[in-house]
Amino acid sequence: MPDSLVLYSNPMSRGRIARWMLEEIGTPYRTEVIGYGPAMKSAEFLTINPMGKVPAIRHGTTIVTECAAICAYLADAFPEADLAPPLASRGAYYRWLFFAAGPLEAAVTDRDLGMEPNIEQQARVGYGSIETVLETLEQAVSVSEYIAGAHFSAADVYLGSHIGWGMQFGSWSHAPLSSTTGSASVTARPIGAPTGSTIRPWLPSRNIRQPDGSRSLSGS
């Protein structure tokens, strides 16, 4: 496998989102599995991500962390994959890509941790209330097949990953997002790379190099 494009990940991480995006661009890449604990906080890995977290990617000499940034970077770095709209048409693309990275993830995480803001606190948090976030999301994905226009994009990868995760683990407490046009199309979409599989961000990936140098068909 080539070393020009490397994914640093762990099977139990958001690295599965980055893997989906890498499969969509269809360019060969290598995966380095980073174990939680000492390996992820090692001096060597901290040169990749000082936060000591995965995922991260290295493309040549460029290192990118944070899933939304990885998706946006790869869409721009590999324009032949056609995963970003033209610059003049990127309003919805940027809006929903970072809606998922900001209000959606924060609201769902707070709920999962039992830290939802009360009425007085809602004005002080960026997302307000999780009810508003989920209603906004449901309205958005019900409008069209894809979130940022007529074509599938990196925004669908990132937002679709959050929707799939939320449906699988019960983060949505009301009307199922899987019934909407957009989310159903994205979660059932064939993978961009020539594998013939159906995308699910939480599925195992291929060609993973384990810490001992061996390769496995499992992981993220």
Side-chain angles (χ1 to χ4, degrees):
M1 296 292 288
D3 286 330
S4 60
L5 185 56
V6 181
L7 168 65
Y8 301 89
S9 188
N10 183 283
M12 302 298 292
S13 78
R14 292 172 177 81
R16 299 181 178 210
I17 303 173
R19 180 181 73 83
W20 179 2
M21 188 65 190
L22 285 161
E23 293 290 330
E24 289 289 347
I25 66 173
T27 297
Y29 65 96
R30 178 168 58 83
T31 303
E32 293 280 354
V33 174
I34 308 297
Y36 284 106
M40 207 170 286
K41 303 300 181 181
S42 68
E44 180 182 5
F45 184 67
L46 291 178
T47 65
I48 300 297
N49 186 357
M51 289 283 288
K53 292 181 176 291
V54 292
I57 63 168
R58 177 169 55 80
H59 181 213
T61 59
T62 299
I63 293 173
V64 186
T65 67
E66 314 309 322
C67 280
I70 289 170
C71 290
Y73 173 84
L74 290 172
D76 286 343
F78 298 90
E80 64 277 8
D82 195 23
L83 291 169
L87 188 59
S89 303
R90 290 193 184 183
Y93 171 78
Y94 286 130
R95 176 186 182 183
W96 296 112
L97 185 63
F98 295 104
F99 171 89
L104 180 59
E105 179 160 353
V108 171
T109 299
D110 282 355
R111 166 170 283 182
D112 288 346
L113 295 176
M115 301 191 304
E116 289 186 67
N118 59 37
I119 296 296
E120 291 74 21
Q121 294 169 331
Q122 287 175 7
R124 298 166 55 190
V125 296
Y127 63 83
S129 71
I130 190 168
E131 290 77 17
T132 299
V133 170
L134 295 182
E135 287 170 7
T136 299
L137 176 59
E138 290 203 28
Q139 291 172 8
V141 299
S142 67
V143 171
S144 62
E145 186 173 9
Y146 301 117
I147 194 65
H151 303 290
F152 183 85
S153 72
D156 292 294
V157 171
Y158 190 69
L159 183 59
S161 296
H162 280 275
I163 292 173
W165 187 91
M167 294 302 300
Q168 184 176 18
F169 294 102
S171 295
W172 321 126
S173 62
H174 54 290
L177 285 161
S178 59
S179 66
T180 62
T181 301
S183 62
S185 297
V186 169
T187 55
R189 182 177 184 273
I191 197 167
T195 64
S197 63
T198 298
I199 278 295
R200 290 293 187 277
W202 43 90
L203 286 180
S205 66
R206 299 171 296 284
N207 294 315
I208 290 179
R209 194 176 86 175
Q210 301 294 339
D212 63 1
S214 63
R215 294 195 180 276
S216 170
L217 297 184
S218 64
S220 69

